[in-house]
């Protein structure tokens, strides 16, 4: 069952029924000001950091669902309703929500009045624009009242939910003209405020939540709206809000528009006040002035649209497969931008107060984003590397506003350091910019301890090379990529954090997965050394990689697949010897991606075992058999009920690893089959089962052991986005950036047909046309501007701006 449809021509998903199985959201904002917006106008806004600078309040896990947003209410004398259906939930005569690239449009119609809301964050500005267009589609004059409504968050979203004894006395506002200013804590250490304005004279306002809603009312029945009044009172303490009232008359056929701006302003300390206790509103007024007219809004909207169509033209495929085109050209890349911006901080499942930016998460998010805006990727790499410790370890997370490592969680996730190599290597392969490697980067944000980035990578590499256990495999520390495989934790009491309980290091527990990573990224590290002319270091790296590869093949092989780990007692995890959890997906995917066991036939065996034991119609499960009881020696992985999350869920993130691994073996059919299973566009038809948005990936789909097999959770903020884009663009369609140039080596399913890719790479455009000849893999001929070329890499020619490439497979 579907709740809408893709409108690819305008790059939108169109939701036609407001009651989607879960809120289906979109992200507004690309730089510093962000909003989450659901298909019924729920959501919230923040500046840079969803924890520290939250602008509006949202109530997670609330009843009814998806409560609080930026709402517009209409009272036409016969009843109250919202163009986005919530929160009144009045039946609409027509409802539509169009989620597009950085904007959402809502249309609601009731009794002949059409209300359209266009919401977006303009490029280069710290505000959200809501243009509300009202049209009288009847033959009679219409008189009605329009109310806006946002509830302010008192900045620190964590405190806002906890520290009531203080904060309920702190709220302060000002009203000037049609703008309502939120200035809580501005009197002391904050130099920022927010405002909500409209470009027309208002007929009334409310800033006291309980006045507007009425005590004990929900926001589906606000007293002011119902009574058609406003209180015109100024909040002092409690919960300040901003609501405008506009009394509107529309003749038959007449239309009018109102431009609301929700803005964030920072003032210099010395210029905070206009007069005693009155905030300096000049920058806010200038911002309001910038979006005063429909033309202003149209211009800003057109700029946003152009920005996105330029970005998405960097990688563009044309194949006969509509779903692949749609995901590659639009939604997958769009999600990569969102994960790059948000890491795992703010979604409808990540509260924005929890995890900030993840070290490994952000490094991986880069992989799917670096081709879009390499400069931002560069900056991000430096930020991440700045939180590394001198011995190569890394803070597991950092806060986006301060960019400082988060000491609550600390370090000890032993895969983290290697992801820095992965991200940096991807950046250098994409851009050819080796200057980043000599950039001076501090350790633990201490500028006095800055060394070139390349030295950070060396320390990442050496950290793994020098932290090995009894089998010569990398020590796992608190956990590796699988945060829930806590082999040194041994937690016995509820509430102890699996992530931080117990020692961060253990001398025995080892990870085969990190072994696979070391082989893959160790080689990429060696390539970077080579690029800098450091042959000796490259050789040393290759030698270390070889040692690891041997250890993985010897100690990490279980007969039919790769072992997952060794626990703190030296027992195998993810082996046929285990009572449950006999096979895990991660080492199968990663070891094969790294090329381990390909020659020996072990890679093929491992992937066949994956198919036999982990496959389902909704995707590949992370492990089998599921853990049916709590295993003290394994930690969180066994804490989940069977089939959910890391305990035998279909953890989407590592499905592309296995798909990529299949391309390494040249099995295009199977690679694509795996791609399709979790691909949103392919599961759109079963939205009632899948439940999350059909245009983006979710972190997890419930596995075979779960009661709700096939149901997805935690949409949007998942490394699946980046890894899937890497998979489809670089391995299946096969356009892979190398240090020497773009290489072309597709691995496609039978019957995929010929396809074309246009790819901007460094300073040139590559128009690549692939003739597949019924082959799944193998390039028979590579023609660059008509000339036959050896190998798979399109050679660089300095100054050349366009390459026309024909690839003949066979
Ligand atoms: C989740 C993981 C997550 C970890 C860190 C666990 O509860 O299952 O997916 O990475 O928490 O926050
Ligand atoms: C989600 C976390 O964000 C990510 O870092 C981790 O790798 C996966 N869960 C698997 O546990």
């Amino acid at each position: 069952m579907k709740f809408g449809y893709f409108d690819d021509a305008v790059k939108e998903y169109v939701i036609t029924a407001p009651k989607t199985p879960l809120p289906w959201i979109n992200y507004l904002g690309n730089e510093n000001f962000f909003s989450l917006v659901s298909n019924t106008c729920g959501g919230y806004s923040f500046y840079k950091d969803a924890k520290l600078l939250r602008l509006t309040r949202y109530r997670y896990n609330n009843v009814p669902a998806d409560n609080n947003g930026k709402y517009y209410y209409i009272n036409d004398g016969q009843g109250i309703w919202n163009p986005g259906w919530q929160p009144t939930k009045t039946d609409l005569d027509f409802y539509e929500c169009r989620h597009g690239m950085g904007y959402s449009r809502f249309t609601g119609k009731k009794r002949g009045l059409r209300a359209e809301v266009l919401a977006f964050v303009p490029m280069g500005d710290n505000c959200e624009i809501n243009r509300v267009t009202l049209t009288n589609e009847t033959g009679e004059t219409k008189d009605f009242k329009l109310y806006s409504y946002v509830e302010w968050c008192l900045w620190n979203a964590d405190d806002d939910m906890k520290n009531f004894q203080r904060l309920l006395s702190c709220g302060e506002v000002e009203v000037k003209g049609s703008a309502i200013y939120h200035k809580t804590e501005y009197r002391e250490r904050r130099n920022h405020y927010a405002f909500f304005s409209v470009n027309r004279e208002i007929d009334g306002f409310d800033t006291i939540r309980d006045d507007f809603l009425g005590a004990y009312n929900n926001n589906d029945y606000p007293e002011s709206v119902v009574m058609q009044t406003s209180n015109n009172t100024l909040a002092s303490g409690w919960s300040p809000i901003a609501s405008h009232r506009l009394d509107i008359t529309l003749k038959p056929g007449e239309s009018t528009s109102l431009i609301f701006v929700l803005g964030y302003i920072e003032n210099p300390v010395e210029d905070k006040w206009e007069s005693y206790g009155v905030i300096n509103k000049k920058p806010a007024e200038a911002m309001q002035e910038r979006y005063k007219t429909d033309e202003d809004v149209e211009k800003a909207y057109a700029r946003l649209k152009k920005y996105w169509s330029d970005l998405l033209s960097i990688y563009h495929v044309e194949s006969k497969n509509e779903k692949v085109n749609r995901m590659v050209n639009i939604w997958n890349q769009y999600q990569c931008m969102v994960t790059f911006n948000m890491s795992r901080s703010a979604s409808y499942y990540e509260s924005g107060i929890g995890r900030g930016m993840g070290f490994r998460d952000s490094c991986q998010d880069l992989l799917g984003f670096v081709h879009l805006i390499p400069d931002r990727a560069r900056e991000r790499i430096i930020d991440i590397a700045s939180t590394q410790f001198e011995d190569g370890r890394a803070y597991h997370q950092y806060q986006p506003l301060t960019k400082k490592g988060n000491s609550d969680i600390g370090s000890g996730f032993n895969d983290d350091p290697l992801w820095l190599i992965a991200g940096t290597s991807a950046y250098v392969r994409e851009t050819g910019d080796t200057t980043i490697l000599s950039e001076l980067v501090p350790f633990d944000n201490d500028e006095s301890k800055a060394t070139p980035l390349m030295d950070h990578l060396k320390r990442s590499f050496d950290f793994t090379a020098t932290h090995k256990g009894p089998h010569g495999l990398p020590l796992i520390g608190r956990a590796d990529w699988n945060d829930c495989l806590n082999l040194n934790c041994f937690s016995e009491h509820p509430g102890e954090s699996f992530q931080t309980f117990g020692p961060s290091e253990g001398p025995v527990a080892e990870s085969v997965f990190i072994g696979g990573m070391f082989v893959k990224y160790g080689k990429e590290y060696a390539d970077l050394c080579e690029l800098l002319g450091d042959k000796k270091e490259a050789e040393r790296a290759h030698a270390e990689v070889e040692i690891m590869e041997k250890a993985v093949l010897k100690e990490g092989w279980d007969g039919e697949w790769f072992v997952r780990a060794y626990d703190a007692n030296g027992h195998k995890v993810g082996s046929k010897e285990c009572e449950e959890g006999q096979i895990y997906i991660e080492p199968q995917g990663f070891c094969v991606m790294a090329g381990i066991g390909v020659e020996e036939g072990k890679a093929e065996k491992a992937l066949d075992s994956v198919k036999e034991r982990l496959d389902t119609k909704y995707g590949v499960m992370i492990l089998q058999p599921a853990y049916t009881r709590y295993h003290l020696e394994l930690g969180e992985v066994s804490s989940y009920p069977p089939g959910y999350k890391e305990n035998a869920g279909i953890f989407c993130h590592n499905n592309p690893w296995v798909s990529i691994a299949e391309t390494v073996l040249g099995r295009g059919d199977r690679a694509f089959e795996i791609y399709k299973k979790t691909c949103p566009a392919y599961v759109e038809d079963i939205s009632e089962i899948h439940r999350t948005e059909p245009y983006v990936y979710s972190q997890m789909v419930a596995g075979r052991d779960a009661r709700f097999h096939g149901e997805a959770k935690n949409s949007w903020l998942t490394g699946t986005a980046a890894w899937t884009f890497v998979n489809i663009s670089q391995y299946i369609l096969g356009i892979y950036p190398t240090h020497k140039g773009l290489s072309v080596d597709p691995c496609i399913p039978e019957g995929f047909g010929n396809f074309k890719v246009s790819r901007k790479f460094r300073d040139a455009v590559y128009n690549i046309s692939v003739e597949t000849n019924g082959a799944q893999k193998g390039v028979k001929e590579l023609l660059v501007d008509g000339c036959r070329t050896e190998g798979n890499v399109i050679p660089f020619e300095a100054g050349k701006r366009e390459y026309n490439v024909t690839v003949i497979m066979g």
Side-chain angles (χ1 to χ4, degrees):
M1 186 180 166
K2 299 207 270 185
F3 295 82
Y5 60 92
F6 286 96
D7 190 348
D8 293 341
V10 282
K11 306 188 185 78
E12 292 174 346
Y13 192 81
V14 188
I15 301 163
T16 49
K19 243 175 138 170
T20 44
L22 290 164
W24 285 0
I25 74 160
N26 193 13
Y27 283 83
L28 316 179
N30 298 315
E31 295 149 325
N32 295 318
F33 188 106
F34 296 103
S35 301
L36 282 64
V37 56
S38 76
N39 60 308
T40 58
C41 293
Y44 61 89
S45 300
F46 59 94
Y47 176 74
K48 279 192 183 169
D49 191 313
K51 175 179 173 182
L52 300 176
L53 290 173
R54 181 89 59 107
L55 268 63
T56 60
R57 254 185 209 159
Y58 185 76
R59 295 189 176 79
Y60 276 94
N61 210 0
N62 205 354
V63 177
D66 192 18
N67 201 325
N68 236 3
K70 274 165 220 115
Y71 294 134
Y72 297 93
Y73 295 87
I74 291 166
N75 189 337
D76 56 14
Q78 287 170 270
I80 68 170
W81 57 281
N82 306 95
W85 187 65
Q86 284 248 63
T88 61
K89 295 202 271 292
T90 302
D91 281 339
L92 296 170
D93 300 332
F94 176 83
Y95 158 91
E96 187 183 84
C97 162
R98 287 178 171 260
H99 284 320
M101 306 287 104
Y103 66 89
S104 291
R105 297 184 93 106
F106 303 85
T107 308
K109 281 197 213 176
K110 190 77 190 168
R111 292 182 277 273
L113 180 63
R114 176 192 169 95
E116 250 191 72
V117 182
L118 166 65
F120 68 100
V121 171
M123 301 294 307
D125 226 344
N126 296 323
C127 61
E128 179 185 324
I129 295 174
N130 285 182
R131 182 174 63 183
V132 182
T133 309
L134 301 148
T135 310
N136 178 3
E137 294 185 334
T138 71
E140 328 238 293
T141 297
K142 272 193 176 282
D143 284 312
F144 58 94
K145 290 183 167 49
L146 176 89
Y147 291 81
S148 68
Y149 177 67
V150 298
E151 183 179 355
W152 301 113
C153 177
L154 306 186
W155 301 114
N156 181 325
D158 196 12
D159 239 25
D160 188 67
M161 278 191 281
K162 297 199 295 224
N163 197 1
F164 305 112
Q165 60 79 24
R166 166 182 160 81
L167 287 178
L168 293 181
S169 289
C170 291
E172 287 192 289
V173 299
E174 282 182 35
V175 176
K176 184 179 174 198
S178 300
I180 298 167
Y181 293 84
H182 176 228
K183 58 169 188 175
T184 299
E185 290 186 348
Y186 191 82
R187 61 170 54 250
E188 27 125 353
R189 292 153 299 170
R190 292 188 186 276
N191 306 321
H192 45 257
Y193 61 79
F195 70 84
F196 194 36
S197 66
V198 58
N199 67 339
R200 191 183 295 188
E201 207 171 304
I202 54 176
D203 298 290
F205 66 87
D206 272 293
T207 69
I208 300 178
R209 188 185 71 194
D210 291 353
D211 278 4
F212 178 73
L213 296 180
Y216 298 99
N217 274 3
N218 202 336
N219 54 13
D220 62 349
Y221 199 74
E223 212 164 82
S224 289
V225 180
V226 174
M227 306 302 288
Q228 307 199 41
T229 58
S230 299
N231 294 288
N232 305 330
T233 43
L234 286 184
S236 175
W238 301 108
S239 292
I241 58 149
S243 171
H244 308 93
R245 191 186 93 231
L246 294 122
D247 302 345
I248 299 172
T249 302
L250 287 180
K251 294 198 206 83
E254 198 189 349
S255 190
T256 190
S257 83
L258 301 151
I259 300 163
F260 291 87
V261 179
L262 177 80
Y264 170 86
I265 300 291
E266 273 174 11
N267 274 332
V269 198
E270 63 287 357
D271 209 11
K272 275 179 78 161
W273 305 102
E274 182 182 306
S275 57
Y276 182 76
V278 181
I279 58 175
N280 169 7
K281 301 184 188 62
K282 271 194 223 111
E285 283 162 355
M287 189 182 271
Q288 289 154 28
E289 203 51 43
R290 287 199 284 281
Y291 308 104
K292 199 118 209 193
T293 65
D294 277 321
E295 293 77 65
D296 297 334
V297 172
E298 287 301 334
K299 249 204 224 145
Y301 182 48
R303 223 180 121 201
L304 177 72
K305 288 202 132 188
K306 168 139 188 355
Y307 172 79
W308 269 106
S309 73
D310 287 351
L311 274 186
L312 294 175
S313 71
I314 296 172
Y315 193 113
H316 183 91
V317 62
E318 274 172 47
S319 77
K320 65 176 193 194
N321 189 319
E322 185 193 35
K323 290 182 177 139
V324 167
N325 298 349
R326 163 184 302 153
M327 290 312 299
V328 171
N329 298 338
I330 307 171
W331 292 99
N332 197 175
Q333 294 197 66
Y334 183 60
Q335 190 177 0
C336 285
M337 165 71 99
V338 172
T339 55
F340 176 84
N341 285 334
M342 300 288 139
S343 192
R344 307 296 167 265
S345 66
S347 76
Y348 263 34
Y349 309 90
E350 303 276 8
S351 62
I353 60 174
R355 301 206 260 159
M357 311 292 281
F359 191 99
R360 79 158 81 88
D361 295 323
S362 292
C363 287
Q364 290 173 87
D365 293 341
L366 267 168
L367 306 178
F369 173 83
V370 62
H371 66 293
L372 291 175
I373 314 176
D375 286 350
R376 288 191 65 199
R378 191 184 203 277
E379 192 186 328
R380 179 64 53 79
I381 291 168
I382 307 283
D383 287 350
I384 296 171
S386 307
T387 67
Q388 191 178 24
F389 292 100
E390 280 176 286
D391 65 357
R393 285 178 309 128
Y395 273 111
H396 196 46
Q397 290 156 12
Y398 72 94
Q399 207 53 40
L401 189 69
T402 62
K403 297 188 177 175
K404 295 255 160 68
N406 171 358
S407 43
D408 293 343
I409 182 138
S411 180
F413 296 79
N414 283 358
D415 61 320
D416 275 335
L418 290 175
W419 291 115
L420 185 63
I421 300 181
T424 309
S425 157
Y427 169 79
V428 177
R429 284 187 286 106
E430 178 67 35
T431 58
D433 166 23
T434 49
T435 65
I436 191 176
L437 301 171
S438 46
E439 197 86 8
L440 290 180
V441 180
F443 288 104
D444 193 6
N445 285 98
D446 180 348
E447 289 294 344
S448 71
K449 292 190 204 142
T451 66
L453 179 64
M454 192 61 189
D455 183 50
H456 283 250
L457 303 191
K458 178 173 182 293
R459 294 184 197 212
S460 285
F461 181 86
D462 285 345
F463 179 82
T464 312
T466 56
H467 286 77
K468 293 186 190 169
H471 300 91
L473 293 164
L475 290 172
I476 198 166
R478 291 201 181 281
D480 59 23
W481 172 87
N482 190 334
D483 275 334
C484 301
L485 196 56
N486 316 116
L487 304 181
N488 293 309
C489 178
F490 295 94
S491 165
E492 286 184 283
H493 300 106
E496 283 164 0
S497 158
F498 289 105
Q499 254 75 84
T500 54
F501 187 74
S504 64
E505 292 182 21
V508 176
E510 299 165 290
S511 162
V512 176
F513 169 79
I514 302 180
M517 270 189 91
F518 185 80
V519 173
K520 179 164 168 54
Y521 297 123
K523 289 182 201 161
E524 297 195 20
Y525 169 67
D527 290 346
L528 290 173
C529 297
E530 201 79 58
L531 205 62
L532 295 185
D534 192 348
K535 276 221 154 35
K536 224 170 118 209
E537 177 66 358
E539 273 164 26
R540 183 183 79 94
H542 279 301
E544 287 288 353
V545 163
E546 219 183 298
I547 295 170
M548 185 69 81
E549 192 163 354
K550 283 196 180 127
V552 171
L553 281 169
K554 182 156 173 272
E555 308 287 355
W557 181 249
D558 199 50
E560 304 286 324
W561 58 79
F562 292 99
V563 179
R564 177 63 177 83
Y566 284 90
D567 71 16
N569 299 311
H571 296 145
K572 284 183 183 167
V573 179
S575 151
K576 56 179 180 292
E577 292 166 19
C578 304
E579 164 207 357
E580 9 193 50
Q582 294 175 336
I583 174 170
Y584 278 67
I585 196 174
E586 303 98 307
Q588 324 313 328
F590 235 83
C591 291
V592 181
M593 269 164 71
I596 306 175
V598 175
E599 278 167 25
E600 298 85 343
K602 287 184 172 163
E604 198 175 327
K605 243 190 202 162
L607 296 186
D608 288 348
S609 299
V610 166
K611 183 163 185 194
E612 197 188 309
R613 291 168 182 259
L614 298 178
D615 215 10
T616 78
K617 64 175 169 180
Y618 300 121
V620 186
M621 293 174 290
I622 192 168
L623 64 87
Q624 272 297 305
Y627 294 107
T628 56
R629 62 175 179 86
Y630 178 55
H631 293 250
L632 183 65
E633 75 289 4
L634 300 179
E636 185 169 4
V637 67
S638 61
S639 74
Y640 287 112
Y644 292 111
K645 297 270 295 180
E646 282 87 343
N647 185 13
I650 296 157
F651 216 87
C652 302
H653 189 131
N654 29 44
N655 274 242
W657 295 349
V658 176
S659 183
I660 294 173
E662 289 288 354
T663 69
V664 171
L665 300 187
R667 304 197 290 197
D669 278 339
R670 177 66 182 149
F672 195 67
E673 188 191 336
I674 297 169
Y675 171 79
K676 280 196 304 197
K677 284 185 188 200
T678 54
C679 180
Y682 275 95
V683 292
E684 186 196 10
D685 288 342
I686 53 156
S687 287
E688 80 286 8
I689 297 172
H690 188 74
R691 302 189 76 212
T692 52
E693 297 90 331
Y695 38 92
V696 290
Y697 285 90
S698 296
Q699 183 203 55
M700 197 253 331
V701 174
R704 199 171 54 203
D705 304 275
R707 184 159 323 147
F708 303 114
H709 182 31
E711 180 188 64
K713 283 205 184 91
N714 306 354
S715 56
W716 282 96
L717 301 187
T718 161
T720 315
W723 273 107
T724 303
F725 191 68
V726 168
N727 177 29
I728 187 78
S729 63
Q730 300 181 9
Y731 290 90
I732 294 181
L733 300 173
I735 321 283
Y736 182 91
T738 74
H739 293 301
K740 298 205 171 75
L742 271 189
S743 96
V744 191
D745 190 12
C747 183
I748 38 143
E750 212 186 306
F752 191 76
N754 298 345
F755 64 93
K756 289 194 171 121
V757 171
S758 141
R759 171 70 154 96
K760 286 193 193 121
F761 179 65
R762 303 191 187 173
D763 286 332
V765 178
Y766 291 73
N767 304 309
I768 303 167
S769 173
V770 181
E771 292 173 23
T772 53
N773 280 326
Q776 295 198 19
K777 184 141 182 180
V779 170
K780 202 167 71 187
E781 238 181 280
L782 177 67
L783 301 168
V784 179
D785 292 314
C787 297
R788 252 187 109 140
T789 310
E790 281 303 307
N792 290 69
V793 180
I794 305 163
F796 256 149
E797 275 177 58
K800 190 160 161 170
R801 290 280 175 269
E802 192 177 340
Y803 295 75
N804 291 304
V805 182
T806 306
V807 179
I808 301 168
M809 291 177 67

